[in-house]
């Protein structure tokens, strides 16, 4: 279930970007990606991954970008999410 949710999340993110940053598709893709991550590694490990002391800057940018996308500012939100994603997974 988790791999499918992550796959659909990435599909909706790509499709939302291809359709000139459609905010509904991007928000749906983000939510599917995060829920799939929870299904794959579990809630506790997901929480501890995102809220480690050295990764708080990346986490704040990632979730801040998610909130900005949900507020219908998709380009700025995706830029914030991309920076947060890069700093989380470096």
């Amino acid at each position: 279930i988790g791999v499918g949710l992550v796959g659909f999340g990435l599909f909706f993110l790509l499709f939302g970007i291809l359709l000139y940053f459609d905010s509904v598709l991007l928000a749906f893709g983000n939510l599917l990606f995060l829920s799939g991550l929870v299904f794959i590694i579990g809630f506790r490990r997901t929480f501890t991954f995102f809220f480690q002391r050295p990764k708080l800057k990346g986490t704040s940018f990632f979730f801040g970008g998610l909130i900005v996308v949900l507020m219908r500012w998709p380009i700025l939100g995706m830029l914030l999410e991309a920076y947060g994603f890069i700093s989380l997974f470096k």
Side-chain angles (χ1 to χ4, degrees), residues 3-74:
V3 175
L5 287 173
V6 168
F8 277 121
L10 292 175
F11 171 75
F12 279 111
L13 284 172
L14 178 67
F15 200 56
I17 290 171
L18 289 176
L19 289 176
Y20 301 113
F21 292 97
D22 184 30
S23 60
V24 174
L25 289 174
L26 291 173
F28 192 62
N30 283 324
L31 294 176
L32 282 175
F33 178 77
L34 288 176
S35 63
L37 192 63
V38 169
F39 270 100
I40 290 174
I41 64 174
F43 183 75
R44 181 175 299 214
R45 285 187 181 168
T46 304
F47 186 81
T48 57
F49 172 75
F50 278 110
F51 294 105
Q52 292 175 5
R53 182 74 129 162
K55 295 183 179 184
L56 282 179
K57 180 180 174 184
T59 299
S60 63
F61 272 99
F62 184 76
F63 285 118
L66 177 67
I67 290 170
V68 171
V69 166
L70 290 173
M71 291 174 31
R72 305 268 176 149
W73 288 53

